[in-house]
Amino acid sequence: MARTSGTGSGAKVPDLPTPPWRRGRTRPVRQPLSQSSIVAAALRVLDAGGLDSVSMRRVADELNTGPASLYVHVSSKEELLELVLDHVLGAVTMPEPDPENWRDQVKDVALRFRAVLASHHDLGRASLAAIPTGPNALLISEGLLAIMRSGGVSEQACAWVLDVLQLYISADVYETALYLSRAEHGEDPSAMAQQYLGEVISALPQDRFPTLTALMPHMVAGNREARFEFGLDIFVQGLAATQQP
Amino acid sequence: MARTSGTGSGAKVPDLPTPPWRRGRTRPVRQPLSQSSIVAAALRVLDAGGLDSVSMRRVADELNTGPASLYVHVSSKEELLELVLDHVLGAVTMPEPDPENWRDQVKDVALRFRAVLASHHDLGRASLAAIPTGPNALLISEGLLAIMRSGGVSEQACAWVLDVLQLYISADVYETALYLSRAEHGEDPSAMAQQYLGEVISALPQDRFPTLTALMPHMVAGNREARFEFGLDIFVQGLAATQQP
DNA sequence: ACCTGAACACCGTTCAAGT
DNA sequence: ACCTGAACACCGTTCAAGT
Protein backbone atom coordinates (compact mmCIF):
# COMPACT_ATOMS: atom_id res chain seq x y z
CA MET A 1 0.00 0.00 0.00
CA ALA A 2 2.27 2.74 -1.28
CA ARG A 3 1.14 6.15 -0.20
CA THR A 4 1.46 8.34 -3.29
CA SER A 5 -0.17 11.66 -2.72
CA GLY A 6 -1.72 12.02 -6.14
CA THR A 7 -1.00 15.66 -6.80
CA GLY A 8 2.26 14.89 -8.64
CA SER A 9 2.32 15.64 -12.37
CA GLY A 10 3.02 12.17 -13.72
CA ALA A 11 3.06 12.52 -17.49
CA LYS A 12 2.23 9.36 -19.35
CA VAL A 13 4.36 10.22 -22.37
CA PRO A 14 7.85 11.77 -22.46
CA ASP A 15 7.79 15.49 -23.17
CA LEU A 16 8.28 16.24 -26.86
CA PRO A 17 8.94 19.68 -28.24
CA THR A 18 5.74 21.50 -29.10
CA PRO A 19 5.34 22.36 -32.79
CA PRO A 20 5.69 26.14 -33.20
CA TRP A 21 2.19 26.57 -34.65
CA ARG A 22 0.67 25.18 -31.47
CA ARG A 23 2.88 27.08 -29.07
CA GLY A 24 1.05 29.59 -26.93
CA ARG A 25 -2.32 28.42 -28.09
CA THR A 26 -2.70 25.43 -25.79
CA ARG A 27 -5.26 25.84 -23.04
CA PRO A 28 -3.79 26.46 -19.60
CA VAL A 29 -3.05 23.13 -17.95
CA ARG A 30 -5.96 22.06 -15.76
CA GLN A 31 -5.48 18.70 -14.14
CA PRO A 32 -8.85 17.07 -13.89
CA LEU A 33 -10.54 17.19 -10.52
CA SER A 34 -10.06 14.20 -8.26
CA GLN A 35 -10.75 13.40 -4.66
CA SER A 36 -7.11 13.76 -3.73
CA SER A 37 -6.67 17.08 -5.50
CA ILE A 38 -9.75 18.38 -3.71
CA VAL A 39 -8.40 17.18 -0.38
CA ALA A 40 -5.08 18.86 -1.11
CA ALA A 41 -6.83 22.11 -1.99
CA ALA A 42 -8.94 21.96 1.17
CA LEU A 43 -5.79 21.44 3.22
CA ARG A 44 -4.21 24.48 1.60
CA VAL A 45 -7.26 26.60 2.45
CA LEU A 46 -7.29 25.20 5.99
CA ASP A 47 -3.64 25.96 6.64
CA ALA A 48 -3.98 29.42 5.19
CA GLY A 49 -7.07 30.57 7.01
CA GLY A 50 -8.28 28.06 9.60
CA LEU A 51 -11.24 25.71 9.62
CA ASP A 52 -13.83 28.47 9.49
CA SER A 53 -12.45 29.60 6.16
CA VAL A 54 -12.90 26.19 4.58
CA SER A 55 -16.04 26.41 2.51
CA MET A 56 -16.94 24.50 -0.59
CA ARG A 57 -16.78 27.76 -2.48
CA ARG A 58 -13.27 28.60 -1.29
CA VAL A 59 -11.97 25.13 -2.03
CA ALA A 60 -13.54 25.24 -5.49
CA ASP A 61 -11.99 28.65 -6.01
CA GLU A 62 -8.58 27.21 -5.17
CA LEU A 63 -9.12 24.77 -8.03
CA ASN A 64 -10.47 27.42 -10.40
CA THR A 65 -13.90 25.94 -10.57
CA GLY A 66 -17.32 26.32 -8.98
CA PRO A 67 -18.62 24.66 -5.81
CA ALA A 68 -20.94 22.34 -7.68
CA SER A 69 -18.00 20.61 -9.33
CA LEU A 70 -16.73 19.24 -6.04
CA TYR A 71 -19.83 17.16 -5.48
CA VAL A 72 -18.80 14.78 -8.23
CA HIS A 73 -15.93 13.51 -6.07
CA VAL A 74 -17.07 14.25 -2.56
CA SER A 75 -20.56 13.77 -1.22
CA SER A 76 -20.61 16.61 1.29
CA LYS A 77 -18.47 19.07 3.18
CA GLU A 78 -18.51 16.66 6.10
CA GLU A 79 -16.98 13.89 4.02
CA LEU A 80 -14.38 16.27 2.67
CA LEU A 81 -13.26 17.23 6.18
CA GLU A 82 -13.06 13.58 7.18
CA LEU A 83 -10.82 12.92 4.21
CA VAL A 84 -8.60 15.88 5.09
CA LEU A 85 -8.38 14.69 8.67
CA ASP A 86 -7.35 11.18 7.75
CA HIS A 87 -4.83 12.45 5.23
CA VAL A 88 -3.18 14.51 7.95
CA LEU A 89 -3.24 11.64 10.44
CA GLY A 90 -0.96 9.76 8.07
CA ALA A 91 1.90 11.67 9.72
CA VAL A 92 1.41 9.91 13.07
CA THR A 93 3.72 6.90 13.01
CA MET A 94 3.43 4.02 15.44
CA PRO A 95 6.25 2.51 17.51
CA GLU A 96 6.83 -1.22 17.91
CA PRO A 97 5.08 -2.19 21.17
CA ASP A 98 7.52 -2.46 24.06
CA PRO A 99 5.82 -4.12 27.06
CA GLU A 100 8.21 -2.51 29.53
CA ASN A 101 7.44 0.99 28.35
CA TRP A 102 3.79 0.88 27.43
CA ARG A 103 2.97 3.95 29.53
CA ASP A 104 5.54 6.14 27.87
CA GLN A 105 4.57 4.80 24.49
CA VAL A 106 0.91 5.67 24.99
CA LYS A 107 1.86 9.15 26.16
CA ASP A 108 4.26 9.59 23.28
CA VAL A 109 1.70 8.62 20.65
CA ALA A 110 -0.93 10.85 22.27
CA LEU A 111 1.44 13.81 22.28
CA ARG A 112 2.34 13.31 18.65
CA PHE A 113 -1.31 12.78 17.70
CA ARG A 114 -2.10 16.08 19.35
CA ALA A 115 0.85 17.85 17.73
CA VAL A 116 -0.16 16.72 14.24
CA LEU A 117 -3.73 17.92 14.67
CA ALA A 118 -2.59 21.18 16.22
CA SER A 119 -0.13 21.81 13.39
CA HIS A 120 -3.01 22.24 10.99
CA HIS A 121 -4.62 25.17 12.70
CA ASP A 122 -7.91 24.03 14.13
CA LEU A 123 -8.42 20.70 12.45
CA GLY A 124 -9.10 19.35 15.93
CA ARG A 125 -12.61 20.67 15.60
CA ALA A 126 -13.14 18.36 12.64
CA SER A 127 -11.50 15.50 14.49
CA LEU A 128 -14.03 15.64 17.29
CA ALA A 129 -16.89 15.67 14.82
CA ALA A 130 -15.77 12.59 12.90
CA ILE A 131 -16.00 8.94 13.84
CA PRO A 132 -12.41 7.94 13.12
CA THR A 133 -12.82 5.26 10.50
CA GLY A 134 -10.33 6.44 7.91
CA PRO A 135 -7.39 4.12 7.15
CA ASN A 136 -4.84 6.22 8.99
CA ALA A 137 -7.03 6.67 12.05
CA LEU A 138 -7.51 2.93 12.17
CA LEU A 139 -3.76 2.38 12.05
CA ILE A 140 -3.37 4.63 15.07
CA SER A 141 -6.11 2.74 16.90
CA GLU A 142 -4.44 -0.57 16.09
CA GLY A 143 -1.10 0.74 17.32
CA LEU A 144 -2.45 2.08 20.60
CA LEU A 145 -4.36 -1.09 21.32
CA ALA A 146 -1.28 -3.20 20.61
CA ILE A 147 0.82 -1.09 22.97
CA MET A 148 -1.67 -1.26 25.81
CA ARG A 149 -2.34 -4.96 25.42
CA SER A 150 1.37 -5.74 25.38
CA GLY A 151 1.57 -3.88 28.69
CA GLY A 152 -1.01 -6.16 30.28
CA VAL A 153 -4.00 -3.86 30.29
CA SER A 154 -7.20 -5.91 30.26
CA GLU A 155 -8.86 -6.35 26.89
CA GLN A 156 -12.06 -4.59 27.92
CA ALA A 157 -10.07 -1.68 29.33
CA CYS A 158 -7.97 -1.44 26.14
CA ALA A 159 -11.05 -1.29 23.97
CA TRP A 160 -12.97 1.24 26.01
CA VAL A 161 -10.05 3.43 26.86
CA LEU A 162 -9.26 3.99 23.21
CA ASP A 163 -12.41 6.08 22.87
CA VAL A 164 -11.63 8.07 25.98
CA LEU A 165 -8.11 8.80 24.82
CA GLN A 166 -9.16 9.97 21.37
CA LEU A 167 -11.87 12.08 22.91
CA TYR A 168 -9.40 13.73 25.25
CA ILE A 169 -6.90 14.49 22.51
CA SER A 170 -9.48 15.87 20.10
CA ALA A 171 -11.18 17.94 22.78
CA ASP A 172 -7.91 19.50 23.85
CA VAL A 173 -6.96 20.40 20.31
CA TYR A 174 -10.45 21.71 19.68
CA GLU A 175 -10.24 24.04 22.64
CA THR A 176 -6.75 25.14 21.78
CA ALA A 177 -7.99 25.95 18.33
CA LEU A 178 -10.87 28.00 19.69
CA TYR A 179 -8.59 30.11 21.81
CA LEU A 180 -6.41 30.50 18.77
CA SER A 181 -9.25 31.73 16.60
CA ARG A 182 -10.33 34.18 19.27
CA ALA A 183 -6.91 35.69 19.87
CA GLU A 184 -5.72 38.59 17.80
CA HIS A 185 -3.18 37.55 15.25
CA GLY A 186 0.19 37.18 16.93
CA GLU A 187 -0.78 36.81 20.57
CA ASP A 188 -0.39 33.66 22.64
CA PRO A 189 -3.99 32.50 22.86
CA SER A 190 -3.74 30.17 25.84
CA ALA A 191 -1.84 32.76 27.85
CA MET A 192 -4.64 35.20 27.08
CA ALA A 193 -7.30 32.71 28.13
CA GLN A 194 -5.46 32.12 31.39
CA GLN A 195 -5.11 35.81 32.06
CA TYR A 196 -8.82 36.25 31.45
CA LEU A 197 -9.64 33.36 33.78
CA GLY A 198 -7.39 34.93 36.40
CA GLU A 199 -9.29 38.19 36.15
CA VAL A 200 -12.65 36.46 36.45
CA ILE A 201 -11.58 34.53 39.54
CA SER A 202 -10.04 37.60 41.16
CA ALA A 203 -13.34 39.42 40.84
CA LEU A 204 -15.24 36.64 42.63
CA PRO A 205 -16.59 37.06 46.19
CA GLN A 206 -14.31 35.03 48.45
CA ASP A 207 -17.07 33.90 50.77
CA ARG A 208 -19.03 32.14 48.04
CA PHE A 209 -16.01 30.91 46.08
CA PRO A 210 -13.45 30.12 48.78
CA THR A 211 -11.71 27.23 47.02
CA LEU A 212 -11.64 28.78 43.58
CA THR A 213 -10.09 31.99 44.89
CA ALA A 214 -7.66 30.10 47.13
CA LEU A 215 -6.44 27.90 44.29
CA MET A 216 -6.28 30.68 41.74
CA PRO A 217 -2.47 30.72 41.48
CA HIS A 218 -2.53 27.03 40.64
CA MET A 219 -5.35 27.49 38.15
CA VAL A 220 -3.36 29.81 35.93
CA ALA A 221 -0.01 28.03 36.32
CA GLY A 222 1.62 26.17 33.45
CA ASN A 223 1.00 26.28 29.74
CA ARG A 224 -1.51 24.32 27.75
CA GLU A 225 0.85 21.53 26.80
CA ALA A 226 1.95 20.95 30.40
CA ARG A 227 -1.70 20.69 31.41
CA PHE A 228 -2.41 18.25 28.63
CA GLU A 229 0.49 16.11 29.70
CA PHE A 230 -0.71 16.23 33.29
CA GLY A 231 -4.07 14.89 32.14
CA LEU A 232 -2.31 12.14 30.21
CA ASP A 233 -0.36 11.16 33.32
CA ILE A 234 -3.51 10.92 35.41
CA PHE A 235 -5.03 8.87 32.69
CA VAL A 236 -2.20 6.39 32.23
CA GLN A 237 -1.88 6.11 36.00
CA GLY A 238 -5.54 5.19 36.31
CA LEU A 239 -5.22 2.74 33.46
CA ALA A 240 -2.27 1.04 35.12
CA ALA A 241 -4.43 0.52 38.20
CA THR A 242 -6.75 -1.71 36.16
CA GLN A 243 -3.86 -3.93 35.08
CA GLN A 244 -4.16 -7.60 35.72
CA PRO A 245 -1.19 -9.05 37.59
CA MET B 1 -29.17 36.20 44.72
CA ALA B 2 -32.69 35.08 43.91
CA ARG B 3 -32.96 33.28 40.63
CA THR B 4 -36.13 34.60 38.97
CA SER B 5 -36.32 33.44 35.43
CA GLY B 6 -37.64 36.65 34.00
CA THR B 7 -40.26 35.25 31.66
CA GLY B 8 -42.98 35.49 34.30
CA SER B 9 -45.63 38.13 33.73
CA GLY B 10 -45.10 40.30 36.80
CA ALA B 11 -47.56 43.19 36.49
CA LYS B 12 -46.54 46.28 38.39
CA VAL B 13 -50.12 47.39 39.01
CA PRO B 14 -53.12 45.26 40.10
CA ASP B 15 -55.40 44.38 37.22
CA LEU B 16 -58.30 46.81 36.87
CA PRO B 17 -61.24 46.18 34.60
CA THR B 18 -60.67 47.61 31.14
CA PRO B 19 -63.07 50.40 30.13
CA PRO B 20 -65.40 49.03 27.42
CA TRP B 21 -64.36 51.64 24.84
CA ARG B 22 -60.79 50.34 25.03
CA ARG B 23 -61.62 46.66 25.00
CA GLY B 24 -60.41 44.80 21.96
CA ARG B 25 -58.45 47.75 20.72
CA THR B 26 -55.34 47.27 22.82
CA ARG B 27 -52.30 46.09 20.93
CA PRO B 28 -51.46 42.42 21.39
CA VAL B 29 -49.33 42.07 24.53
CA ARG B 30 -45.68 42.12 23.58
CA GLN B 31 -43.36 42.00 26.52
CA PRO B 32 -40.34 44.06 25.65
CA LEU B 33 -37.26 42.16 24.62
CA SER B 34 -34.72 41.40 27.32
CA GLN B 35 -31.67 39.23 27.61
CA SER B 36 -33.54 36.63 29.62
CA SER B 37 -36.49 36.44 27.26
CA ILE B 38 -34.08 35.97 24.37
CA VAL B 39 -32.25 33.23 26.26
CA ALA B 40 -35.58 31.54 27.00
CA ALA B 41 -36.58 31.72 23.35
CA ALA B 42 -33.23 30.32 22.25
CA LEU B 43 -33.65 27.43 24.68
CA ARG B 44 -37.09 26.71 23.23
CA VAL B 45 -35.67 26.62 19.71
CA LEU B 46 -32.79 24.44 20.88
CA ASP B 47 -35.01 21.90 22.59
CA ALA B 48 -37.35 21.79 19.65
CA GLY B 49 -34.84 21.36 16.86
CA GLY B 50 -31.28 20.93 18.13
CA LEU B 51 -28.30 23.25 18.12
CA ASP B 52 -28.09 23.48 14.35
CA SER B 53 -31.56 24.95 14.22
CA VAL B 54 -30.65 27.80 16.57
CA SER B 55 -30.08 30.80 14.35
CA MET B 56 -30.55 34.43 15.20
CA ARG B 57 -33.39 34.48 12.70
CA ARG B 58 -35.22 31.57 14.28
CA VAL B 59 -34.84 32.95 17.77
CA ALA B 60 -36.07 36.33 16.61
CA ASP B 61 -38.98 34.63 14.91
CA GLU B 62 -39.89 32.95 18.17
CA LEU B 63 -40.16 36.44 19.65
CA ASN B 64 -42.07 37.85 16.67
CA THR B 65 -39.33 40.21 15.67
CA GLY B 66 -36.41 40.43 13.29
CA PRO B 67 -32.85 39.23 13.87
CA ALA B 68 -31.47 42.74 14.16
CA SER B 69 -33.49 43.33 17.32
CA LEU B 70 -31.56 40.72 19.27
CA TYR B 71 -28.31 42.61 18.96
CA VAL B 72 -29.54 45.25 21.39
CA HIS B 73 -29.35 42.72 24.23
CA VAL B 74 -26.83 40.21 23.05
CA SER B 75 -23.59 41.01 21.28
CA SER B 76 -23.35 37.91 19.11
CA LYS B 77 -24.67 34.42 18.59
CA GLU B 78 -21.68 33.16 20.52
CA GLU B 79 -22.62 35.18 23.59
CA LEU B 80 -26.21 34.02 23.31
CA LEU B 81 -25.16 30.39 23.35
CA GLU B 82 -22.94 30.98 26.35
CA LEU B 83 -25.87 32.52 28.20
CA VAL B 84 -28.11 29.58 27.31
CA LEU B 85 -25.44 27.16 28.47
CA ASP B 86 -24.99 28.82 31.82
CA HIS B 87 -28.72 29.08 32.34
CA VAL B 88 -29.03 25.33 31.85
CA LEU B 89 -26.08 24.60 34.13
CA GLY B 90 -28.08 26.13 36.97
CA ALA B 91 -29.74 22.72 37.31
CA VAL B 92 -26.52 21.06 38.47
CA THR B 93 -26.56 21.23 42.25
CA MET B 94 -23.49 20.67 44.39
CA PRO B 95 -23.22 18.33 47.38
CA GLU B 96 -21.56 19.28 50.66
CA PRO B 97 -17.98 17.95 50.43
CA ASP B 98 -17.57 14.65 52.25
CA PRO B 99 -13.85 13.81 52.57
CA GLU B 100 -14.55 10.09 52.89
CA ASN B 101 -16.47 9.95 49.65
CA TRP B 102 -14.71 12.42 47.42
CA ARG B 103 -14.35 9.91 44.58
CA ASP B 104 -18.02 9.09 44.43
CA GLN B 105 -18.91 12.74 44.76
CA VAL B 106 -16.73 13.71 41.81
CA LYS B 107 -18.23 10.93 39.74
CA ASP B 108 -21.72 11.87 40.80
CA VAL B 109 -21.33 15.53 39.87
CA ALA B 110 -19.73 14.59 36.55
CA LEU B 111 -22.60 12.25 35.71
CA ARG B 112 -25.19 14.86 36.54
CA PHE B 113 -23.28 17.55 34.65
CA ARG B 114 -23.31 15.28 31.65
CA ALA B 115 -26.99 14.44 32.05
CA VAL B 116 -28.01 18.08 32.19
CA LEU B 117 -26.10 18.95 29.03
CA ALA B 118 -27.40 15.89 27.25
CA SER B 119 -30.98 16.65 28.23
CA HIS B 120 -30.92 19.71 26.02
CA HIS B 121 -30.26 17.96 22.77
CA ASP B 122 -26.79 18.86 21.65
CA LEU B 123 -25.93 21.78 23.86
CA GLY B 124 -22.71 19.93 24.60
CA ARG B 125 -21.35 21.29 21.36
CA ALA B 126 -21.75 24.79 22.73
CA SER B 127 -20.22 23.76 26.04
CA LEU B 128 -16.99 22.73 24.44
CA ALA B 129 -16.77 25.99 22.58
CA ALA B 130 -17.19 28.21 25.62
CA ILE B 131 -14.73 29.08 28.35
CA PRO B 132 -16.93 28.34 31.35
CA THR B 133 -17.07 31.70 33.10
CA GLY B 134 -20.79 32.04 33.66
CA PRO B 135 -21.99 32.19 37.28
CA ASN B 136 -23.43 28.69 37.31
CA ALA B 137 -20.38 27.16 35.67
CA LEU B 138 -18.22 28.84 38.29
CA LEU B 139 -20.36 27.37 41.08
CA ILE B 140 -19.77 23.90 39.63
CA SER B 141 -16.04 24.57 39.47
CA GLU B 142 -16.02 25.75 43.06
CA GLY B 143 -17.94 22.67 44.18
CA LEU B 144 -15.69 20.21 42.36
CA LEU B 145 -12.55 21.86 43.68
CA ALA B 146 -13.91 21.80 47.21
CA ILE B 147 -14.74 18.10 46.97
CA MET B 148 -11.34 17.14 45.62
CA ARG B 149 -9.43 19.29 48.07
CA SER B 150 -11.37 17.89 50.99
CA GLY B 151 -10.31 14.45 49.77
CA GLY B 152 -6.66 15.36 49.99
CA VAL B 153 -5.86 15.81 46.32
CA SER B 154 -2.93 18.20 45.93
CA GLU B 155 -3.79 21.80 45.13
CA GLN B 156 -1.99 21.78 41.82
CA ALA B 157 -3.73 18.55 40.82
CA CYS B 158 -7.14 19.94 41.84
CA ALA B 159 -6.65 23.04 39.73
CA TRP B 160 -5.37 21.31 36.63
CA VAL B 161 -7.69 18.37 36.77
CA LEU B 162 -10.73 20.62 36.70
CA ASP B 163 -9.97 21.51 33.10
CA VAL B 164 -9.46 17.92 32.12
CA LEU B 165 -12.71 16.85 33.71
CA GLN B 166 -14.77 19.56 32.06
CA LEU B 167 -13.11 18.79 28.76
CA TYR B 168 -13.97 15.12 29.09
CA ILE B 169 -17.59 15.76 29.97
CA SER B 170 -18.15 18.30 27.21
CA ALA B 171 -16.40 16.18 24.62
CA ASP B 172 -18.49 13.15 25.48
CA VAL B 173 -21.73 15.09 25.25
CA TYR B 174 -20.56 16.70 22.05
CA GLU B 175 -19.94 13.36 20.44
CA THR B 176 -23.18 11.91 21.73
CA ALA B 177 -24.96 14.88 20.24
CA LEU B 178 -23.29 14.35 16.89
CA TYR B 179 -24.38 10.74 16.72
CA LEU B 180 -27.82 11.91 17.68
CA SER B 181 -27.98 14.46 14.89
CA ARG B 182 -26.81 11.88 12.38
CA ALA B 183 -29.27 9.18 13.35
CA GLU B 184 -32.67 9.02 11.79
CA HIS B 185 -35.36 10.26 14.11
CA GLY B 186 -36.21 7.52 16.58
CA GLU B 187 -33.17 5.27 16.33
CA ASP B 188 -30.64 4.75 19.10
CA PRO B 189 -27.72 6.75 17.74
CA SER B 190 -24.89 5.27 19.81
CA ALA B 191 -26.06 1.76 19.05
CA MET B 192 -25.95 2.67 15.37
CA ALA B 193 -22.46 4.13 15.68
CA GLN B 194 -21.28 0.96 17.38
CA GLN B 195 -22.84 -1.25 14.75
CA TYR B 196 -21.13 0.79 12.06
CA LEU B 197 -17.80 0.54 13.87
CA GLY B 198 -18.30 -3.20 14.14
CA GLU B 199 -18.82 -3.45 10.39
CA VAL B 200 -15.74 -1.38 9.65
CA ILE B 201 -13.56 -3.51 11.92
CA SER B 202 -14.94 -6.75 10.55
CA ALA B 203 -13.98 -5.70 7.06
CA LEU B 204 -10.35 -5.05 8.08
CA PRO B 205 -7.50 -7.37 7.01
CA GLN B 206 -6.52 -9.36 10.10
CA ASP B 207 -2.82 -9.43 9.32
CA ARG B 208 -2.49 -5.65 9.38
CA PHE B 209 -4.99 -5.04 12.17
CA PRO B 210 -4.53 -8.04 14.48
CA THR B 211 -5.34 -6.29 17.76
CA LEU B 212 -8.27 -4.28 16.48
CA THR B 213 -9.93 -7.34 15.00
CA ALA B 214 -9.14 -9.47 18.06
CA LEU B 215 -10.63 -6.92 20.45
CA MET B 216 -13.65 -6.16 18.31
CA PRO B 217 -16.19 -7.78 20.64
CA HIS B 218 -14.93 -5.57 23.46
CA MET B 219 -14.96 -2.47 21.25
CA VAL B 220 -18.67 -2.65 20.63
CA ALA B 221 -19.67 -3.80 24.13
CA GLY B 222 -21.58 -1.56 26.51
CA ASN B 223 -23.58 1.57 25.93
CA ARG B 224 -22.32 5.10 25.81
CA GLU B 225 -23.06 5.87 29.43
CA ALA B 226 -21.23 2.79 30.69
CA ARG B 227 -18.23 3.83 28.65
CA PHE B 228 -18.36 7.33 30.03
CA GLU B 229 -18.46 6.00 33.55
CA PHE B 230 -15.54 3.73 32.81
CA GLY B 231 -13.53 6.76 31.71
CA LEU B 232 -14.52 8.54 34.91
CA ASP B 233 -13.33 5.60 36.96
CA ILE B 234 -9.96 5.55 35.25
CA PHE B 235 -9.73 9.24 35.82
CA VAL B 236 -10.61 9.27 39.52
CA GLN B 237 -8.33 6.28 40.06
CA GLY B 238 -5.44 8.16 38.49
CA LEU B 239 -6.24 11.23 40.52
CA ALA B 240 -6.23 9.22 43.74
CA ALA B 241 -2.74 8.06 42.88
CA THR B 242 -1.49 11.66 43.13
CA GLN B 243 -2.92 12.05 46.63
CA GLN B 244 -0.60 13.21 49.33
CA PRO B 245 -0.60 10.96 52.37
C1' DA C 1 -33.01 54.12 24.33
C1' DC C 2 -34.85 50.72 21.95
C1' DC C 3 -36.36 48.63 17.86
C1' DT C 4 -36.40 47.24 12.92
C1' DG C 5 -36.46 46.77 7.44
C1' DA C 6 -33.37 46.18 4.30
C1' DA C 7 -29.12 45.12 2.81
C1' DC C 8 -24.30 43.03 2.76
C1' DA C 9 -21.52 39.37 2.15
C1' DC C 10 -21.61 35.14 2.66
C1' DC C 11 -23.12 29.71 3.26
C1' DG C 12 -24.12 24.10 1.51
C1' DT C 13 -26.43 21.78 -1.83
C1' DT C 14 -29.27 20.74 -6.06
C1' DC C 15 -30.30 20.51 -10.76
C1' DA C 16 -30.84 21.21 -15.48
C1' DA C 17 -27.98 22.00 -19.13
C1' DG C 18 -23.80 21.53 -21.40
C1' DT C 19 -19.49 18.94 -23.27
C1' DA D 1 -18.94 10.59 -17.34
C1' DC D 2 -17.71 14.68 -15.80
C1' DC D 3 -18.33 19.42 -15.20
C1' DT D 4 -20.76 23.87 -14.29
C1' DG D 5 -23.94 28.36 -14.12
C1' DA D 6 -27.54 29.60 -11.84
C1' DA D 7 -30.62 29.18 -8.37
C1' DC D 8 -32.66 27.77 -3.77
C1' DA D 9 -33.04 28.42 0.83
C1' DC D 10 -30.64 29.79 4.09
C1' DC D 11 -26.78 32.27 7.37
C1' DG D 12 -24.60 36.36 11.10
C1' DT D 13 -24.14 41.02 11.39
C1' DT D 14 -24.50 46.07 10.30
C1' DC D 15 -26.69 50.34 9.69
C1' DA D 16 -29.63 54.03 8.66
C1' DA D 17 -34.05 55.22 9.74
C1' DG D 18 -37.82 55.21 12.67
C1' DT D 19 -40.38 55.68 17.37
Side-chain angles (χ1 to χ4, degrees):
Chain A
M1 214 216 223
R3 185 115 45 71
T4 42
S5 255
T7 339
S9 50
K12 286 178 189 163
V13 170
D15 282 323
L16 292 176
T18 318
W21 60 90
R22 278 215 268 152
R23 212 165 263 164
R25 281 197 267 135
T26 46
R27 283 200 288 150
V29 181
R30 265 281 292 281
Q31 18 213 81
L33 287 180
S34 69
Q35 207 175 66
S36 67
S37 71
I38 292 172
V39 168
L43 194 53
R44 259 176 280 140
V45 175
L46 174 73
D47 286 341
L51 191 64
D52 285 332
S53 74
V54 179
S55 72
M56 299 305 265
R57 279 172 164 80
R58 288 278 284 264
V59 173
D61 229 54
E62 184 78 16
L63 295 163
N64 291 311
T65 182
S69 307
L70 306 183
Y71 286 84
V72 179
H73 300 97
V74 137
S75 72
S76 66
K77 186 184 177 182
E78 193 182 330
E79 197 201 16
L80 174 55
L81 287 178
E82 277 172 30
L83 290 169
V84 170
L85 175 64
D86 204 72
H87 178 87
V88 160
L89 287 183
V92 183
T93 55
M94 286 296 139
E96 205 55 41
D98 172 6
E100 301 297 308
N101 289 322
W102 72 271
R103 296 182 200 206
D104 286 339
Q105 285 192 317
V106 168
K107 283 183 58 181
D108 177 58
V109 171
L111 285 169
R112 285 187 297 115
F113 195 150
R114 177 176 179 273
V116 164
L117 284 182
S119 74
H120 291 280
H121 264 139
D122 39 11
L123 193 57
R125 268 155 72 194
S127 151
L128 201 56
I131 311 176
T133 48
N136 288 321
L138 287 171
L139 281 171
I140 297 175
S141 294
E142 167 67 25
L144 279 171
L145 286 176
I147 291 167
M148 293 188 288
R149 190 152 81 147
S150 86
V153 179
S154 84
E155 299 201 334
Q156 188 58 260
C158 282
W160 280 9
V161 103
L162 188 68
D163 259 11
V164 180
L165 190 55
Q166 283 171 349
L167 212 57
Y168 178 53
I169 295 169
S170 300
D172 182 82
V173 180
Y174 182 107
E175 233 187 38
T176 309
L178 271 169
Y179 293 165
L180 202 130
S181 73
R182 269 198 257 269
E184 309 296 310
H185 218 67
E187 294 173 280
D188 178 349
S190 81
M192 259 192 46
Q194 264 157 64
Q195 203 205 317
Y196 171 58
L197 187 64
E199 282 164 23
V200 170
I201 298 178
S202 304
L204 252 33
Q206 283 198 30
D207 56 324
R208 282 173 43 81
F209 296 92
T211 326
L212 208 46
T213 45
L215 297 190
M216 205 263 267
H218 296 103
M219 300 280 302
V220 298
N223 60 23
R224 200 147 176 106
E225 199 164 337
R227 288 153 166 271
F228 177 77
E229 229 183 304
F230 170 79
L232 266 186
D233 275 324
I234 295 270
F235 181 79
V236 175
Q237 198 77 254
L239 193 56
T242 73
Q243 264 181 298
Q244 287 150 330
Chain B
M1 211 217 224
R3 183 113 48 73
T4 44
S5 254
T7 339
S9 49
K12 284 176 191 166
V13 170
D15 281 324
L16 293 174
T18 319
W21 61 89
R22 278 215 267 153
R23 215 165 262 164
R25 282 200 263 133
T26 46
R27 282 199 289 149
V29 181
R30 264 282 291 279
Q31 16 214 82
L33 287 180
S34 68
Q35 205 174 69
S36 66
S37 70
I38 292 173
V39 167
L43 194 53
R44 260 176 278 141
V45 175
L46 174 73
D47 286 341
L51 191 64
D52 285 332
S53 75
V54 179
S55 71
M56 299 306 265
R57 279 173 165 81
R58 287 278 283 264
V59 174
D61 229 54
E62 184 79 14
L63 296 163
N64 292 311
T65 183
S69 306
L70 306 182
Y71 286 86
V72 178
H73 301 97
V74 136
S75 72
S76 66
K77 186 184 177 183
E78 192 181 329
E79 197 201 14
L80 175 55
L81 287 178
E82 276 172 31
L83 290 168
V84 171
L85 175 65
D86 204 71
H87 178 87
V88 160
L89 287 183
V92 183
T93 55
M94 286 294 139
E96 204 55 41
D98 171 7
E100 300 297 308
N101 288 323
W102 72 272
R103 296 183 201 205
D104 286 338
Q105 285 192 315
V106 168
K107 281 183 60 180
D108 178 58
V109 171
L111 284 170
R112 286 187 297 114
F113 195 150
R114 176 176 180 274
V116 164
L117 285 181
S119 74
H120 291 280
H121 263 137
D122 39 9
L123 193 56
R125 267 156 71 195
S127 151
L128 201 57
I131 311 176
T133 49
N136 287 322
L138 287 171
L139 280 172
I140 297 176
S141 294
E142 168 67 25
L144 280 171
L145 286 176
I147 291 167
M148 292 189 288
R149 190 155 78 149
S150 86
V153 178
S154 84
E155 300 202 333
Q156 189 57 260
C158 282
W160 280 9
V161 103
L162 188 68
D163 258 13
V164 180
L165 190 55
Q166 284 172 349
L167 212 57
Y168 178 53
I169 295 169
S170 300
D172 182 81
V173 181
Y174 182 108
E175 233 188 38
T176 309
L178 271 169
Y179 293 165
L180 200 130
S181 73
R182 269 197 256 268
E184 309 298 309
H185 219 66
E187 295 172 278
D188 179 349
S190 81
M192 258 192 47
Q194 263 156 65
Q195 202 206 319
Y196 171 58
L197 188 64
E199 282 164 23
V200 170
I201 297 178
S202 304
L204 253 32
Q206 284 199 29
D207 55 326
R208 281 173 44 83
F209 296 92
T211 325
L212 208 47
T213 47
L215 298 189
M216 204 264 265
H218 296 103
M219 300 282 300
V220 298
N223 60 23
R224 191 136 188 114
E225 199 165 337
R227 289 153 166 269
F228 177 77
E229 229 183 303
F230 170 79
L232 266 186
D233 275 324
I234 294 270
F235 181 77
V236 175
Q237 198 77 255
L239 193 55
T242 73
Q243 264 182 299
Q244 288 150 332

